[in-house]
Amino acid sequence: MGSMTTHRQEQWTALAGVVAALAPALSGVVGLVLLTQWYLEPPVLIVGAVVGGLAAVVVALAARRRRDRVTLGFALSVLCFALGWLPLGGASFAVSSILTLASQALAVAFGVMVARRGRGASRVAGWVIAVAAAVWLVGGFSLWFGTSPDASEGLLDVLVTLPALGQTVAFLTAALLFVGPLLRPVGAGARYLWSTAEVR
């Protein structure tokens, strides 16, 4: 009974991790509007940030209970991103900028820790997250400081697209890291059907 409860909790935490990762990934995809021509109204993005933030709290509590600093770093990154959407009037831009910077730095740290701790595909995913999050971070700085009046339209397109692409790749890859426990029952069911099939 205890192992079944633990397994169920692991699945719920994994589901929360996927949801938490998809919220900033969705925002990154929307940031690729120059390439995709896909636009979402701000209220939709705010709802996504709230849902992602709540899922991040679930992941953070589970990580704290297990003393898992790697997963806690991921949860804090998503939480900072979600809190950046808070409407704070005149202080919104400054607070949002600080929280976004914290989210980016935590995402880079999360990727590096996954790469150092992981093996095989998990290690590769960690480096993908770290590099993509670094692109998100550096691209954000470039966007702030690189948009001079004499900048060409092509340069501006690159400066707008790169951070969004890094954000999207980093969090979609993070979502894949949480999918394992959700797919385990599917794999077990497929193996059972295969083992009991009359014709193979």
Side-chain angles (χ1 to χ4, degrees):
M1 183 70 176
S3 62
M4 182 177 280
T5 302
T6 303
H7 181 65
R8 191 64 57 88
Q9 288 174 342
E10 187 181 60
Q11 285 185 312
W12 280 112
T13 302
L15 179 60
V18 171
V19 171
L22 288 180
L26 174 66
S27 181
V29 170
V30 172
L32 295 170
V33 67
L34 291 173
L35 297 177
T36 63
Q37 302 300 310
W38 187 44
Y39 178 75
L40 286 179
E41 295 295 332
V44 177
L45 293 173
I46 291 171
V47 169
V50 169
V51 172
L54 292 174
V57 169
V58 172
V59 175
L61 292 174
R64 187 172 179 273
R65 190 170 56 245
R66 293 192 319 255
R67 296 180 179 173
D68 182 356
R69 291 187 301 173
V70 177
T71 306
L72 184 60
F74 161 78
L76 291 176
S77 174
V78 176
L79 198 54
C80 286
F81 173 82
L83 290 173
W85 284 90
L86 284 175
L88 299 173
S92 286
F93 179 76
V95 173
S96 175
S97 298
I98 292 168
L99 287 170
T100 300
L101 185 60
S103 177
Q104 293 165 331
L106 285 164
V108 173
F110 168 67
V112 171
M113 288 189 290
V114 168
R116 291 181 64 186
R117 183 177 76 172
R119 296 261 189 278
S122 176
R123 184 177 195 138
V124 171
W127 284 122
V128 169
I129 292 168
V131 171
V135 168
W136 180 31
L137 173 64
V138 174
F141 278 121
S142 301
L143 190 58
W144 281 353
F145 301 115
T147 53
S148 61
D150 57 342
S152 67
E153 188 176 335
L155 175 61
L156 289 176
D157 289 350
V158 170
L159 290 177
V160 168
T161 303
L162 269 182
L165 185 61
Q167 179 181 351
T168 303
V169 170
F171 285 102
L172 284 179
T173 307
L176 291 176
L177 289 176
F178 288 95
V179 165
L182 298 177
L183 295 182
R184 212 169 287 141
V186 177
R191 282 192 297 275
Y192 174 76
L193 289 174
W194 178 257
S195 67
T196 58
E198 292 182 6
V199 179
R200 286 198 283 277

